[in-house]
Amino acid sequence: MKPADDAAQQALDAVRDSLRDLIDDADTPSSVREALQAEYSDLQTLWQKLEGNELHVAVFGRVSVGKSSLLNALLARNVFATGPLHGVTQRADTDQWTRLGDSAVRVFDTPGIDEIDGQGRERLAAQVARRADLVLFVCDADLTQLEYAALAQLAATHRPLLLILNKADRYHQAERARLLDRLRERTATLLQPEHVLSAAADPRPETVVRIDANGEETESTRPRAPDVAEVAARVSEILEREGLLLSALNAGLYASEVSDTVAARVADIRSTAAQRVIRGYCLGKGLAVAINPVPLTDLAAAAALDVSLVFHLGRIYGLPVTRHEAGRLVGVISLQLAALMGAVWAVHAASSLLKTLSAGLSVTVTALAQGSVAWYATYVIGQVATRYFVNGRSWGPGGPKRAVNDVLSLVDRESILAEARQALTERLRRQRQ
């Protein structure tokens, strides 16, 4: 094996292993797997492709441009259905074409991009494209607007792409040359000129005129052999030169896309769970502070609830902390909040002091004010702790002060306090009934 081939094989092996790890990741919630069932199915297919050391070539194009005929001509046998009816190919079909070294080359036929029920079939075509190492886009004339848009979409996937002018036998040599030049000019920003080729996968029969001894003419027809040698040679050249790397790159790119999608879904699930937990602790702390009849001890109870909140958030984000660690984290956040929000904390302390001076008789007067401030404090602590866990138990470059300040800048204090007062009023009214 050449050094380049050895490096390509190592890359392919690494991608295959990463695919397996992504598929088998036990930390991925079942709800995410269910939501991304199609993507996980594609990952499994890609893994099997790499495990079987296969290279995939897919064809695309409008109906009746000769996609199936082109594949049949390349395979030198009639495998894929062809016919005069619009849209003969109803689903993606596949068959093995040849072998290049240790790799089996499979070809994929796909439905036309302009067929009835096109959305579903185009999604199927896109799915095959994700698995393809080389794409053959087949046309039979100058590109329509639909064809050009589809070609541009495929080119954006950065897979090797060949544009094949099929049915070239229908054009005179000069016409064919002009049409190829036109196609190369229109697609100059999408693919290389040498990747625009011509073929005659199913050429029209040749007309033969025979003149007998009496000078009478007799016409007959005889079939002509397909002309796909240039296409076959270019496909083999690309796959032999870049096949293994293309396979690894394509699988790696798709795995990265799925991994990012999984991470985003997991992040959404965790964020939703975290916000639900934060709101629950806000209500619990607000009520505890508002109705606690024992002066000042409500502050200690409030701190204990904040510690429990941080402990719970760590578990949601898969970064569990001990209660001691959670307590230290709350302490750090509280110190920064005290520095940045002295006025709010003064209200919190004053309302507690008011309870002390009145021996608890002013609870009704101060309950909503103190409970709302406690709610707000827990909300901010929860948001800052969430940010800390999202960053992998890190404050980031600005440290805890920057993290707390950033959260405060994003939180609408008045709306949170209004929400707290409304929720606490409702709960206190229920308790009095």
Side-chain angles (χ1 to χ4, degrees):
M1 182 179 288
K2 299 177 183 178
D5 292 338
D6 187 51
Q9 186 63 52
Q10 290 178 8
L12 189 144
D13 292 341
V15 171
R16 183 188 59 213
D17 292 342
S18 68
L19 278 175
R20 191 72 263 165
D21 291 342
L22 180 58
I23 293 170
D24 295 338
D25 188 357
D27 293 331
T28 303
S30 58
S31 59
V32 172
R33 289 184 179 276
E34 292 172 4
L36 301 178
Q37 186 174 2
E39 285 82 356
Y40 272 94
S41 176
D42 282 344
L43 287 176
Q44 183 65 33
T45 300
L46 276 176
W47 181 83
Q48 292 171 345
K49 170 178 176 283
L50 298 185
E51 183 73 4
N53 213 15
E54 293 181 352
L55 298 173
H56 289 181
V57 178
V59 295
F60 289 88
R62 290 185 297 106
V63 294
S64 302
V65 295
K67 301 185 303 296
S68 301
S69 297
L70 178 64
L71 292 183
N72 285 338
L74 290 173
L75 271 62
R77 59 185 185 275
N78 291 327
V79 174
F80 302 101
T82 62
L85 296 179
H86 187 76
V88 170
T89 303
Q90 302 297 311
R91 58 186 178 83
D93 289 321
T94 180
D95 197 70
Q96 182 168 321
W97 174 24
T98 186
R99 296 192 68 87
L100 293 175
D102 295 330
S103 300
V105 180
R106 298 192 70 85
V107 292
F108 286 79
D109 194 9
T110 62
I113 59 176
D114 57 339
E115 288 182 286
I116 298 174
D117 192 22
Q119 285 188 340
R121 290 174 183 167
E122 285 181 34
R123 282 196 299 271
L124 176 61
Q127 183 183 48
V128 176
R130 285 198 297 268
R131 304 171 185 170
D133 304 305
L134 176 63
V135 178
L136 309 181
F137 194 99
V138 184
C139 64
D140 60 2
D142 196 4
L143 296 177
T144 66
Q145 185 175 357
L146 172 65
E147 286 175 315
Y148 185 87
L151 184 67
Q153 187 176 26
L154 287 170
T157 65
H158 304 293
R159 283 158 176 74
L161 180 61
L162 299 181
L163 176 59
I164 312 298
L165 173 63
N166 194 24
K167 304 181 182 179
D169 57 296
R170 299 184 180 184
Y171 300 96
H172 294 300
Q173 186 173 356
E175 291 177 326
R176 185 190 313 170
R178 285 195 298 270
L179 183 51
L180 286 172
D181 287 341
R182 169 65 175 160
L183 291 172
R184 291 179 179 122
E185 179 184 349
R186 289 194 63 192
T187 61
T189 60
L190 302 179
L191 64 162
Q192 303 171 24
E194 60 270 23
H195 286 180
V196 180
L197 309 172
S198 64
D202 187 18
R204 291 175 175 177
E206 182 180 15
T207 299
V208 179
V209 178
R210 290 185 174 86
I211 303 176
D212 62 18
N214 297 323
E216 294 183 0
E217 296 182 355
T218 304
E219 285 191 5
S220 62
T221 60
R222 63 185 179 191
R224 288 190 290 179
D227 181 9
V228 296
E230 185 180 21
V231 175
R234 189 59 54 85
V235 170
S236 296
E237 174 194 342
I238 292 173
L239 293 182
E240 285 179 346
R241 185 179 67 242
E242 307 173 22
L244 290 177
L245 279 177
L246 288 173
S247 187
L249 176 62
N250 294 338
L253 286 174
Y254 184 62
S256 177
E257 292 174 12
V258 175
S259 180
D260 290 344
T261 303
V262 169
R265 292 292 183 97
V266 171
D268 287 343
I269 291 173
R270 286 174 169 169
S271 178
T272 300
Q275 295 307 313
R276 185 171 60 249
V277 166
I278 290 171
R279 297 284 177 175
Y281 273 92
C282 285
L283 179 59
K285 180 177 173 182
L287 286 172
V289 170
I291 66 177
N292 192 339
V294 182
L296 293 180
T297 57
D298 52 359
L299 297 180
L305 284 172
D306 288 337
V307 171
S308 294
L309 169 60
V310 172
F311 179 81
H312 199 156
L313 289 174
R315 289 183 172 275
I316 288 176
Y317 282 93
L319 298 169
V321 293
T322 64
R323 292 196 176 272
H324 177 69
E325 291 171 326
R328 285 194 303 174
L329 190 58
V330 170
V332 170
I333 297 173
S334 297
L335 283 175
Q336 298 303 323
L337 284 173
L340 293 168
M341 297 184 62
V344 172
W345 254 246
V347 171
H348 192 20
S351 60
S352 184
L353 179 61
L354 182 59
K355 282 186 182 182
T356 303
L357 296 175
S358 61
L361 295 179
S362 60
V363 169
T364 302
V365 178
T366 62
L368 285 179
Q370 190 177 14
S372 297
V373 171
W375 177 303
Y376 177 76
T378 290
Y379 181 81
V380 173
I381 288 173
Q383 300 303 328
V384 175
T386 296
R387 182 184 180 124
Y388 175 80
F389 289 121
V390 167
N391 290 332
R393 294 175 67 167
S394 170
W395 292 116
K401 182 176 182 179
R402 174 66 179 274
V404 172
N405 194 50
D406 286 348
V407 168
L408 289 175
S409 68
L410 295 174
V411 172
D412 185 346
R413 183 171 67 184
E414 294 307 315
S415 68
I416 295 297
L417 289 173
E419 177 189 354
R421 284 193 295 270
Q422 181 178 356
L424 291 174
T425 298
E426 180 63 27
R427 285 302 183 98
L428 290 172
R429 183 182 297 117
R430 291 179 187 175
Q431 291 186 3
R432 294 191 186 106
Q433 290 176 351

